Amino acid sequence: AQLLGPRALRQTWPTRTTHQHKGHFGHVLIVGGQAGMPGAVLMAARAALRSGAGLVSVATHPAHAALLPLAQPELMSHAMDDPAALVDLIEPATAVVCGPGLGQSEWARTLLETVCVSAGPRAVVLDADALNLLASSPVDLPERSVLTPHPGEAARLLGTTTANVQADRLRALSALVARSGRAVVLKGAGSWVGAPGERPSLCVAGNPGMGTGGMGDVLSGLLGAALAGPMRAGALAPLVGGAVLAHALAGDEAADRLGQAGLLPSDLIASLPNIIPRP
Amino acid sequence: AQLLGPRALRQTWPTRTTHQHKGHFGHVLIVGGQAGMPGAVLMAARAALRSGAGLVSVATHPAHAALLPLAQPELMSHAMDDPAALVDLIEPATAVVCGPGLGQSEWARTLLETVCVSAGPRAVVLDADALNLLASSPVDLPERSVLTPHPGEAARLLGTTTANVQADRLRALSALVARSGRAVVLKGAGSWVGAPGERPSLCVAGNPGMGTGGMGDVLSGLLGAALAGPMRAGALAPLVGGAVLAHALAGDEAADRLGQAGLLPSDLIASLPNIIPRP
Amino acid sequence: AQLLGPRALRQTWPTRTTHQHKGHFGHVLIVGGQAGMPGAVLMAARAALRSGAGLVSVATHPAHAALLPLAQPELMSHAMDDPAALVDLIEPATAVVCGPGLGQSEWARTLLETVCVSAGPRAVVLDADALNLLASSPVDLPERSVLTPHPGEAARLLGTTTANVQADRLRALSALVARSGRAVVLKGAGSWVGAPGERPSLCVAGNPGMGTGGMGDVLSGLLGAALAGPMRAGALAPLVGGAVLAHALAGDEAADRLGQAGLLPSDLIASLPNIIPRP
Amino acid sequence: AQLLGPRALRQTWPTRTTHQHKGHFGHVLIVGGQAGMPGAVLMAARAALRSGAGLVSVATHPAHAALLPLAQPELMSHAMDDPAALVDLIEPATAVVCGPGLGQSEWARTLLETVCVSAGPRAVVLDADALNLLASSPVDLPERSVLTPHPGEAARLLGTTTANVQADRLRALSALVARSGRAVVLKGAGSWVGAPGERPSLCVAGNPGMGTGGMGDVLSGLLGAALAGPMRAGALAPLVGGAVLAHALAGDEAADRLGQAGLLPSDLIASLPNIIPRP
């Protein structure tokens, strides 16, 4: 196994050149947020904005779709009363994040299945309830998918216990990669990144202050921006590693400022400008 | 009587260890916020988030439930049109705060009674309108309850006058503990903490800039996080003391920054990272 | 005429003593905000909170009443579908501000008349559309009223032109005081404060960066807090002078930070902690 | 061609004098924001506020009109269910911005046509969807119009390709000016400013971190404030140049603070006080 280090950050966020515009930096589409649950998509979308996406759109429940841009005016937000409309939103996107606050209703499953059928060559980050839906009933995954389970979600995907996953995290990672045939981030203290045919990578940054609900939503947004951006045509695993490392380092930077207890996902988003490499 | 000091903070917020995750830091459920009154639950929930809770949920009126996460995306918010649904929310919680902005309607009383019936071994913080409801018609309190009256609420609970409470605050505290058989915080200039069989503690921090509506909501959220967290299995009174002291010190830190006049509960929440001990 | 100086600030904001609580610092009720216009009441209410009010309530249009506390959780907000309900809100208030964003509809006039009939001995700040309503059809003013016209509103109240008001501002002030029999702030470059039987005071602080819509709403909230607070039983004019000076000094402090062009009323509110005297 | 420099800023934002009030600094009306798209108008309006407008109003879709002032209380917001009502809002405005988040529906076209018919001598900034509507079906433009296409929009207006526009940007600018007979900003790396009978100006400030959705909305708000303000009676091109330069310099200042990747339009707005000249 190899450790994730500064080179991963530079690969994911290369220096911008003068004539690049928002089209080069990609368009992330976040799919999630069942009725009453707008927070997770808001955090994922903000993380994507702070990670360099040229455009960030949200496909979410009609109950709050029109309200999200009042909290973050850079967002474009679309009400998904008819999941068929999702296909038109996927078309201009260069990466899709599916899962934050998605829930496990029929509405949620239809959105997940539409993402998987329509993604084509786009990178797709599957997190949170998208993983729970996959665990309960499999779906054909897009070729450039990344699964980001925490140990409990990993256990559900593997049909085992959280304790078993934690007892040998590298073995659990390998099993997840083998079973899904896709890139996987196994979250937790010491996150692992794996992908078919790639040597696994370990992230040794991060701290237990990151044990707060919503930290995973920030990672999914960060991954969306990393995979949507100018390096999107290249290999998946290095970009995933860069995003995982940036997330952990932002957590460490935020904990230096604010301490570990009470550290919030929003604090990590605010720390990203201090982590993402500059020209 | 003993004075609350730095040891109380360290007992309530021990150093985190590497393999702890959000499950260790507990899940606080805030119950309150009648129609038109979302502010108190928002302040309590934010205080709980900034005090180290792993997860914070809110059970509140349908009129604003879906809007709270737009103001604070880390919150999970649930509309309580049917108070029976509250039972399912209490199940995963490790501490419950009941009262902020609750009002005294039938809806409010049903929520309070559901909390008291369903809390089981969980710590329950009873504040504001929950105390007024208790004063008008008693309810069997969960074993690990904490009552947090200000002098006016204490007078109503004891069937006496505010002047009588203030004339001998330690005696009023003892009477409240004796009558309820539960832990009590008697708020005011020099807050007292008492519990059955425990020596009362006095908090000598704090300042008159804290005389603004909503300061009590911040304390209730802080208590929720302290009682939901990794030390939740132990004795109640030291954790309560730690939260009371952190609240007062945050008020002093915020007054140093901003002065006393115009000091707001939101300022105390922003000061918590400077008060809660770091590794 | 006398100049407003530091002594005015200290009179309005005396040092707090240990046993004072939110009841001592007063309860400001802001009445305004027609449908679609919540901004003015939000600014007035925030200014009142940052000026030391113990409690701040808002009586406003049902279209947005429940949303204001999401933007500022310390506020208590009440929907005025039935203006009769306003009487119950005035009862616990110690000062009332009427006018910000009020409009000039029948709904607005009924609220203004209810305030004037029910205020009793409370101080009442009449601003913006409340002044326009008074200009078009007089109302018996509460004894402790303060009128805060800008030159255009003053002209309407006096039945003259803005140019005439500006040609001799001290004379316009005296005419307004004589005609209304109440305290008056004539706003503009060099605000004047007058009251029956009192020597007029002049404020020489402030800058043209304060020429932005909403600056008057901040002053009305500041006045509300000054008149609701611990000095509320005393003479009106010195408290009014203290609030007018604090507003101008906050404008100067904010312009030092941010420049004059683009200076916003919200910036003045953020500057208040640097202006209001500390113990 | 000439380069835009510090003199352009000083022409657009002259030193304020003591007796100027909000009337002198102008009233910007922002027209845009179809259902579900409030973010673009919010950013344009905030930019106008931070650029010195005395008043900023928004004419937008009823779905969110009443919510915008909760996010930015200085705004006055009007629901455009009946586009005829727009005429009354144009009357007190001294400059109009039309286009941010406008969409291309019948509602959008009616608003655009109403602006063009009713603007009279007011400056009108046409951006985003207003330009797309113009490209699909021409409208008589007000005499003091400014068109602000990015290269893609410029190509649509000229009936050519983006590559052709970028191959000779100065020629594209001249063609846009000739065809429209109006002032034009051709955005992109090295923005050009042109107007009939004027020598074109080039902006060499700015950076590729500005390749994020919404940056154009900030420019349109800045232009609105520059054209609505005290210099509004004079030549158009120097004011446009000052606004374009301020936008680029704010982008550079924000990138110095936050890096290029993840730079947001809201960051530019926050940088404006450091760019606009001070007395």
Side-chain angles (χ1 to χ4, degrees), chain D residues 3-279:
Chain D
L3 294 187
L4 292 168
R7 208 161 54 97
L9 297 182
R10 177 51 78 196
Q11 282 181 302
T12 308
W13 288 280
T15 298
R16 296 185 166 196
T17 62
T18 305
H19 288 281
Q20 289 177 323
H21 58 76
K22 64 187 170 192
H24 291 95
F25 306 124
H27 185 162
V28 179
L29 173 66
I30 316 273
V31 180
Q34 63 178 330
M37 297 290 278
V41 286
L42 184 53
M43 289 187 284
R46 283 178 168 157
L49 284 167
R50 274 286 177 227
S51 309
L55 292 167
V56 179
S57 294
V58 173
T60 192
H61 198 277
H64 52 252
L67 299 170
L68 290 173
L70 296 167
Q72 186 71 43
E74 286 84 358
L75 295 182
M76 294 173 293
S77 182
H78 302 271
M80 287 295 98
D81 24 13
D82 172 14
L86 183 55
V87 175
D88 291 339
L89 294 179
I90 292 171
E91 170 58 30
T94 60
V96 181
V97 174
C98 184
L102 182 64
Q104 303 189 38
S105 65
E106 203 45 48
W107 176 85
R109 178 165 289 278
T110 308
L111 291 178
L112 170 62
E113 288 173 354
T114 305
V115 165
C116 289
V117 167
S118 308
R122 292 169 191 81
V124 174
V125 180
L126 297 165
D127 188 30
D129 283 320
L131 299 174
N132 293 324
L133 287 166
L134 287 181
S136 69
S137 157
V139 177
D140 274 347
L141 298 180
E143 185 159 336
R144 287 171 70 77
S145 295
V146 183
L147 285 68
T148 61
H150 61 54
E153 291 158 347
R156 282 193 284 282
L157 285 168
L158 293 171
T160 180
T161 64
T162 305
N164 267 346
V165 168
Q166 293 294 76
D168 189 341
R169 288 171 50 82
L170 179 52
R171 198 164 91 173
L173 176 84
S174 304
L176 288 161
V177 171
R179 209 180 260 228
S180 67
R182 299 292 182 268
V184 174
V185 180
L186 177 58
K187 299 186 288 195
S191 288
W192 280 97
V193 177
E198 302 270 350
R199 198 152 56 121
S201 302
L202 178 62
C203 176
V204 296
N207 65 81
M210 297 166 75
T212 307
M215 291 290 179
D217 302 317
V218 172
L219 177 62
S220 71
L222 243 163
L223 279 164
L227 300 175
M231 307 312 286
R232 60 183 172 257
L236 211 59
L239 301 176
V240 172
V244 166
L245 180 60
H247 182 257
L249 292 173
D252 289 343
E253 207 266 353
D256 278 350
R257 280 190 292 123
L258 296 161
Q260 291 183 3
L263 196 68
L264 298 182
S266 297
D267 302 324
L268 263 72
I269 298 172
S271 285
L272 286 171
N274 298 324
I275 300 303
I276 294 176
R278 304 198 178 187

Side-chain angles (χ1 to χ4, degrees), chain C:
Chain C
Q2 57 192 340
L3 295 185
L4 292 168
R7 208 161 54 97
L9 298 182
R10 177 51 77 195
Q11 283 180 303
T12 307
W13 288 279
T15 298
R16 296 186 166 194
T17 60
T18 305
H19 288 282
Q20 288 178 324
H21 57 77
K22 64 187 170 192
H24 291 95
F25 306 122
H27 185 163
V28 179
L29 174 66
I30 316 274
V31 180
Q34 63 178 330
M37 297 289 279
V41 286
L42 184 53
M43 289 187 284
R46 283 178 169 158
L49 283 167
R50 273 286 178 228
S51 308
L55 292 166
V56 179
S57 293
V58 173
T60 192
H61 198 276
H64 51 251
L67 299 171
L68 290 172
L70 295 167
Q72 186 70 44
E74 285 85 357
L75 295 183
M76 293 172 294
S77 182
H78 302 271
M80 287 294 99
D81 26 12
D82 173 14
L86 183 56
V87 176
D88 291 340
L89 293 179
I90 293 171
E91 170 59 30
T94 61
V96 180
V97 174
C98 184
L102 182 63
Q104 302 189 38
S105 65
E106 204 45 48
W107 176 83
R109 178 164 289 278
T110 308
L111 291 178
L112 170 62
E113 289 174 352
T114 305
V115 165
C116 289
V117 168
S118 308
R122 292 169 191 81
V124 174
V125 180
L126 297 165
D127 187 30
D129 282 321
L131 299 174
N132 293 325
L133 286 166
L134 286 180
S136 70
S137 159
V139 177
D140 274 348
L141 298 180
E143 186 159 337
R144 288 171 69 78
S145 295
V146 184
L147 285 68
T148 61
H150 61 55
E153 292 158 346
R156 282 192 285 281
L157 286 168
L158 293 171
T160 181
T161 64
T162 305
N164 267 345
V165 167
Q166 294 294 76
D168 189 341
R169 288 171 50 81
L170 179 52
R171 199 165 89 174
L173 176 84
S174 304
L176 288 162
V177 171
R179 210 179 260 228
S180 67
R182 300 294 182 269
V184 174
V185 179
L186 178 58
K187 299 186 288 196
S191 290
W192 281 97
V193 177
E198 302 269 350
R199 198 153 54 122
S201 302
L202 178 64
C203 175
V204 296
N207 65 81
M210 297 166 74
T212 307
M215 292 288 180
D217 302 317
V218 172
L219 177 61
S220 71
L222 242 163
L223 279 164
L227 300 174
M231 308 311 286
R232 61 183 171 258
L236 211 58
L239 301 177
V240 172
V244 166
L245 180 59
H247 182 256
L249 292 172
D252 289 343
E253 207 266 352
D256 279 351
R257 280 190 292 123
L258 295 161
Q260 290 182 4
L263 196 68
L264 297 183
S266 297
D267 302 323
L268 263 72
I269 298 173
S271 285
L272 286 172
N274 298 323
I275 301 302
I276 294 176
R278 304 196 178 189

